[in-house]
Amino acid sequence: MHPDHLDTVLVAGATGGTGRAVLRLGQSRVDTVRALTRSPDAAADLKAAGADDVVVEDLLDPDDLSAAVAGVDAVVSAVGTSPLAIQSGPPYVDGAGNRALVAAAADADVEAFVMESAIGVGPDPSSPLASVFDAFIEPLQEAKASAEAALRDASLRHTILRPGVLTNGSRTDVVTAADPGAELWGLISRADVARLLLAAPVTPAVGDRTLEIVSTPQFPDRDASIEWTLPR
């Protein structure tokens, strides 16, 4: 992987809103964008959204993830479970699925792994918004925490992004990114999250780092002043 160039990126959770935004942005920034989905029926739609290749595999019951991660410079994981699915119980793709993908990426010597998590995950001081997340989706927050821990323990350059409330708004490029404990709260569009997910592998300042991210409101006094760089 060159310092500012990505040959191949694997996008997990590609059928979700954030994943699709990564595909759209990546098609003009990355040589090969590979989408991972558990649904074979989604392949044509994902290619129309910007994927060059599509791999069908269920992260909660994987047969072999080696094909998905083969030749990949970076993995971008935007997988997530709908809060409505909490009642069905674990395992959740946020936890077990991400852990399986982390293990496969480490075995394949993938250079970078970027994961979308959520504000409130982990033991750091948090905002009232994070407390609401914890109250209503606690099992998913715990699953994400287990995946974060697995990623930090793996031999992978990693970046973990913890967004606030996700919206379907336009990309603004106006984002506050702060270290855990900054107690951020607010909204951020999936398009803005996608930009940071794709930028993370080639942005030196965010290697092996966890960041809270929001767009509205802004917190200039808490911002880490990161110069995000997209692949080119």
Side-chain angles (χ1 to χ4, degrees), residues 66-152:
S66 60
V69 296
V72 166
D73 295 322
V75 173
V76 172
S77 178
V79 302
T81 303
S82 166
L84 298 177
I86 292 177
Q87 58 188 350
S88 65
Y92 302 114
V93 71
D94 313 61
N98 264 325
R99 293 197 304 271
L101 190 56
V102 166
D107 288 344
D109 294 324
V110 171
E111 294 190 43
F113 195 112
V114 187
M115 188 178 82
E116 178 185 13
S117 186
I119 274 180
V121 172
D124 309 291
S126 57
S127 65
L129 172 62
S131 299
V132 171
F133 278 13
D134 289 342
F136 285 92
I137 57 170
E138 182 178 8
L140 300 185
Q141 296 285 83
E142 292 175 349
K144 292 177 190 295
S146 73
E148 286 191 9
L151 182 52
R152 292 190 189 95

Side-chain angles (χ1 to χ4, degrees), residues 197-222:
L197 288 170
L198 193 61
V202 295
T203 299
V206 300
D208 299 333
R209 197 165 177 183
T210 300
L211 295 162
E212 299 179 359
I213 53 173
V214 296
S215 290
T216 307
Q218 297 176 42
F219 297 89
D221 58 325
R222 306 181 201 179

